[in-house]
Amino acid sequence: MKIALDAMGGDEAPLININGAIEALETSSDLEVFLVGDAPTVDSLVERSGYSGERLTVVHADGFVGMEEKPTDALRQKPNCSIAVCWKMMAGGEVEAIVSAGNTGGVIGAGLRTRLFLKGVKRPGIAVVLPTISGRSVLMDVGANPGARPEHLAQYALMGSIFAREILEIESPRVGLMNIGSEDGKGTPLIKEAHDLVLRGPVAQNYIGNVEGRGLYQGEADVIICDGFVGNVVLKVSEGMASMMMEKVAHQVLGALNGEKTTAEQAFGRVGRSFEYNEYGGAPLLGIDGVCMISHGSSDARSIRNALHTAMTFKNRNVNQHIVEALAAQTAASS
Amino acid sequence: MKIALDAMGGDEAPLININGAIEALETSSDLEVFLVGDAPTVDSLVERSGYSGERLTVVHADGFVGMEEKPTDALRQKPNCSIAVCWKMMAGGEVEAIVSAGNTGGVIGAGLRTRLFLKGVKRPGIAVVLPTISGRSVLMDVGANPGARPEHLAQYALMGSIFAREILEIESPRVGLMNIGSEDGKGTPLIKEAHDLVLRGPVAQNYIGNVEGRGLYQGEADVIICDGFVGNVVLKVSEGMASMMMEKVAHQVLGALNGEKTTAEQAFGRVGRSFEYNEYGGAPLLGIDGVCMISHGSSDARSIRNALHTAMTFKNRNVNQHIVEALAAQTAASS
């Protein structure tokens, strides 16, 4: 499988991408990675890494979308930046997947421009896997589509379910709608219409209805759908809260200890990293004709390696084919 | 000051309300509490409490809005339920404030029916105080107004600032707009319009612009405004996440300890309670002509006592008068 990796994406780019690619290549003999970025820089780092195989190719790109840049402006000013080249390679069939830890708005913006949507998909969305008290859940969308319409949310219910089934291996994922009350008839017009659409759609059987915010980390559903504004706020509030809590709790608890302080400190470090760690290496943009993994800006080489592996699993499990077939069946049933 | 307390509100009602009222009466000699609820039940509990003063009166109400009930239905079926009687007492001038730990939708629903809005206020909103890494911040609205319009958010910026200044005693509260990116021009049409209105409004000087979700618990602003849907989801996601994290972190850290395990366990208990504890006893519904404190369903007597005290401070600090004057000044300036 050929994957374009945005070498310039991430706070610690390009090094994490080069190391992550090499780690992934070592364990996957059918993987080929195209490192897209500033060729002189990336070439010299690859050389220094000592990698000598044939499955790592550097592709030159002019600049990249910086973390603090406004994506629309950056993409206009730098039409051949690293993420734009990645998408062009996928649109041209040169690669089957792309991975980027760069500016998320840039990844989405460059992607939506290619209009590389799966047949039947109205708007792609980002599906993120979050830890819960009992396991993990998928939250979708977390930012690709802040102005979602009801039919988009209904499609997220379907796409999120297929993702949860094929990648998280949850046989019949329970789907919930993020809402401000659990009873019927709650929420904004968007939410009420989405509720009705999901009830009449292909995941109706696994639909548990409204889920309040509290239910997300309590694992009340395997897939929770929301518009990209709400999902993005929830995801980022969670990050900020986790970091605040770890600091406050550690401070209080360590302050109470004497002899076993160091042991506790190490345990805090481990559990803190476990909250940050994402075994999938990133979040897929679901609904595109290809595979796009969006990794966190703070990714390390292991995250990038995991994102490359998830992209391979995504293809091997035929996630996109399942989505297209389910949407076609739905259209056929309702016509 | 006369306050109506919804005796039937809260998971542990009516006992927490009776005990909370008695605690508040002990420390505030100018307080008079009306316990609104099922008179036979409340009377006998008051009798058993041993309270012998003159400043606690039981007012009968027929039923209450249960935690799992649909507020609109319950309020129609039980027009003289405890929260409806509380609001009627405030509308009739019998009390100056109400406090309830009951069904939040019921408190809001009964309140909006009275149309007891402050002059110039378009829609009331709930302002909650949250802990941050560096102190505390106000998030508004967390559920009174899920379909907020831009002018509502602009008023929340003003009301939230006055609340933060008078009750949290932050001299010049920094105001932020919850958004999905920090740069200008981000977000939905609602958010963009609200941004423009706040920029041209009375808190422009203290407005720091967009704040991403991560900034909430990182204390980037003293007041963060959002629509009631987003705010409610954020608040409840936070509750669920705090509980999940405390459980997972405690499990990991305690599992690593031997001799000091009990000490650490106690420290976890203390810090866990500190996240649950709300020194204000609840969240005010800002923008009404009166004082309404909404307490959490899981409130204990101490929370109810604190809510009664906050209601008194709210009145003593003339929060409503400041709001009305600021809105009038704004109208005068723009006409």
Side-chain angles (χ1 to χ4, degrees):
Chain A
M1 183 179 184
K2 293 177 177 178
I3 303 182
L5 172 58
D6 177 4
M8 314 308 283
D11 300 335
E12 306 292 325
L15 201 58
I16 49 149
N17 294 303
I18 293 154
N19 293 342
I22 293 170
E23 283 187 31
L25 289 166
E26 278 165 3
T27 49
S28 304
S29 58
D30 52 345
L31 173 64
E32 198 174 328
V33 176
F34 294 83
L35 278 165
V36 182
D38 182 64
T41 311
V42 181
D43 269 331
S44 81
L45 286 167
V46 170
E47 203 167 309
R48 252 192 276 168
S49 78
Y51 178 79
S52 58
E54 302 280 302
R55 294 181 286 121
L56 191 60
T57 310
V58 176
V59 175
H60 181 69
D62 296 317
F64 60 95
V65 182
M67 285 306 194
E68 301 303 323
E69 279 190 278
K70 195 171 167 179
T72 42
D73 292 348
L75 291 169
R76 197 176 46 239
Q77 286 153 12
K78 294 175 275 193
N80 292 312
C81 65
S82 59
I83 188 63
V85 171
C86 287
W87 277 103
K88 281 179 209 165
M89 289 177 75
M90 189 153 72
E94 292 167 67
V95 297
E96 290 170 284
I98 67 178
V99 171
S100 176
N103 182 313
T104 302
V107 179
I108 304 296
L112 296 183
R113 276 163 195 227
T114 65
R115 304 293 301 174
L116 203 65
F117 295 3
L118 277 177
K119 190 171 158 51
V121 168
K122 290 174 199 290
R123 284 293 297 271
I126 305 171
V128 74
V129 181
L130 296 173
T132 70
I133 196 82
S134 52
R136 45 209 178 154
S137 294
V138 175
L139 181 69
M140 181 176 183
D141 164 48
V142 295
N145 188 11
R149 293 200 304 263
E151 56 270 31
H152 302 158
L153 295 188
Q155 288 200 338
Y156 295 160
L158 178 67
M159 293 196 280
S161 294
I162 291 171
F163 173 69
R165 191 185 71 204
E166 299 299 330
I167 307 291
L168 276 64
E169 297 181 348
I170 300 169
E171 207 177 325
S172 292
R174 298 158 301 155
V175 177
L177 175 65
M178 182 70 91
N179 206 340
I180 56 172
S182 51
E183 66 271 36
D184 266 10
K186 286 295 280 188
T188 57
L190 164 71
I191 294 300
K192 290 180 200 173
E193 279 181 57
H195 175 74
D196 291 342
L197 285 176
V198 178
L199 270 179
R200 288 186 276 121
V203 303
Q205 237 184 322
N206 293 327
Y207 182 51
I208 61 166
N210 297 325
V211 169
E212 291 191 79
R214 200 178 159 83
L216 175 62
Y217 290 103
Q218 298 297 311
E220 282 181 20
D222 301 303
V223 177
I224 295 186
I225 55 169
C226 59
D227 74 70
F229 190 95
V230 169
N232 187 272
V233 168
V234 162
L235 185 66
K236 291 185 179 164
V237 163
S238 301
E239 283 180 17
M241 187 182 197
S243 130
M244 188 260 308
M245 280 190 67
M246 286 306 295
E247 193 172 319
K248 289 204 170 185
V249 175
H251 179 79
Q252 286 286 326
V253 174
L254 295 176
L257 300 179
N258 291 307
E260 291 191 297
K261 196 169 168 168
T262 310
T263 312
E265 215 161 338
Q266 288 162 347
F268 271 111
R270 280 195 302 277
V271 71
R273 282 191 296 280
S274 80
F275 283 118
E276 282 164 23
Y277 177 62
N278 181 331
E279 65 184 294
Y280 302 100
L285 179 65
L286 296 182
I288 54 153
D289 190 6
V291 184
C292 171
M293 290 296 297
I294 300 171
S295 299
H296 199 280
S298 66
S299 292
D300 57 9
R302 186 173 65 153
S303 298
I304 298 298
R305 178 200 68 195
N306 290 357
L308 290 164
H309 284 156
T310 304
M312 296 178 77
T313 312
F314 195 100
K315 186 202 154 197
N316 294 337
R317 301 286 303 180
N318 297 310
V319 172
N320 283 345
Q321 195 184 324
H322 290 300
I323 291 173
V324 170
E325 284 171 6
L327 289 174
Q330 190 188 1
T331 311
S334 64
S335 66
Chain B
M1 184 181 183
K2 294 178 176 179
I3 303 182
L5 172 60
D6 178 5
M8 313 308 281
D11 301 336
E12 306 293 328
L15 201 59
I16 49 150
N17 295 303
I18 292 153
N19 293 341
I22 293 169
E23 283 186 33
L25 289 166
E26 278 165 5
T27 49
S28 303
S29 57
D30 52 345
L31 174 64
E32 198 175 327
V33 176
F34 295 83
L35 277 166
V36 182
D38 183 64
T41 312
V42 180
D43 270 331
S44 82
L45 285 167
V46 170
E47 205 168 310
R48 249 190 278 167
S49 78
Y51 178 80
S52 59
E54 301 281 301
R55 294 181 285 123
L56 191 61
T57 310
V58 176
V59 175
H60 181 69
D62 296 316
F64 61 94
V65 182
M67 286 305 196
E68 301 303 322
E69 280 191 277
K70 195 173 169 178
T72 42
D73 293 349
L75 291 169
R76 197 176 46 241
Q77 288 154 13
K78 294 175 273 194
N80 292 312
C81 64
S82 58
I83 188 64
V85 171
C86 287
W87 277 102
K88 280 179 211 165
M89 289 177 74
M90 191 154 69
E94 294 167 67
V95 297
E96 292 171 284
I98 66 179
V99 171
S100 176
N103 183 315
T104 302
V107 180
I108 303 295
L112 296 184
R113 277 163 194 225
T114 64
R115 305 292 301 174
L116 202 64
F117 295 3
L118 277 178
K119 189 169 158 56
V121 167
K122 291 173 196 294
R123 283 296 294 274
I126 305 171
V128 73
V129 181
L130 297 172
T132 69
I133 197 82
S134 51
R136 44 208 180 154
S137 294
V138 175
L139 182 68
M140 180 177 186
D141 164 50
V142 297
N145 187 11
R149 294 200 305 263
E151 57 271 31
H152 302 158
L153 295 189
Q155 288 198 338
Y156 295 160
L158 177 67
M159 294 196 280
S161 293
I162 291 171
F163 174 69
R165 193 187 67 204
E166 299 299 328
I167 308 291
L168 276 65
E169 299 181 345
I170 300 168
E171 205 177 326
S172 291
R174 296 158 302 156
V175 177
L177 175 66
M178 184 71 93
N179 206 340
I180 55 171
S182 50
E183 65 272 34
D184 267 7
K186 286 297 278 191
T188 57
L190 165 70
I191 294 299
K192 290 180 201 172
E193 279 179 58
H195 175 73
D196 291 342
L197 285 176
V198 178
L199 269 180
R200 288 187 275 121
V203 302
Q205 238 185 322
N206 293 326
Y207 182 51
I208 61 165
N210 297 325
V211 168
E212 291 191 78
R214 201 180 159 81
L216 175 62
Y217 290 104
Q218 298 297 310
E220 284 180 18
D222 301 303
V223 177
I224 295 186
I225 55 170
C226 58
D227 74 72
F229 190 95
V230 169
N232 188 273
V233 168
V234 162
L235 185 65
K236 292 185 178 162
V237 163
S238 301
E239 281 180 19
M241 188 183 197
S243 129
M244 188 254 319
M245 278 190 69
M246 286 307 295
E247 193 171 320
K248 290 205 169 184
V249 174
H251 179 80
Q252 285 287 325
V253 174
L254 295 176
L257 300 179
N258 292 307
E260 292 191 297
K261 196 169 169 168
T262 310
T263 312
E265 217 160 347
Q266 289 161 346
F268 270 111
R270 280 195 303 276
V271 70
R273 282 191 298 278
S274 81
F275 283 119
E276 282 163 25
Y277 175 62
N278 181 332
E279 65 184 294
Y280 302 99
L285 179 64
L286 296 182
I288 53 152
D289 190 7
V291 185
C292 170
M293 290 295 299
I294 301 170
S295 299
H296 200 279
S298 66
S299 290
D300 57 10
R302 187 173 62 152
S303 297
I304 298 299
R305 178 199 68 193
N306 291 355
L308 290 164
H309 284 156
T310 304
M312 296 179 76
T313 312
F314 195 98
K315 185 202 156 202
N316 294 336
R317 301 286 303 180
N318 298 310
V319 172
N320 284 346
Q321 195 184 324
H322 289 301
I323 292 174
V324 171
E325 284 172 5
L327 289 174
Q330 190 187 3
T331 311
S334 64
S335 66

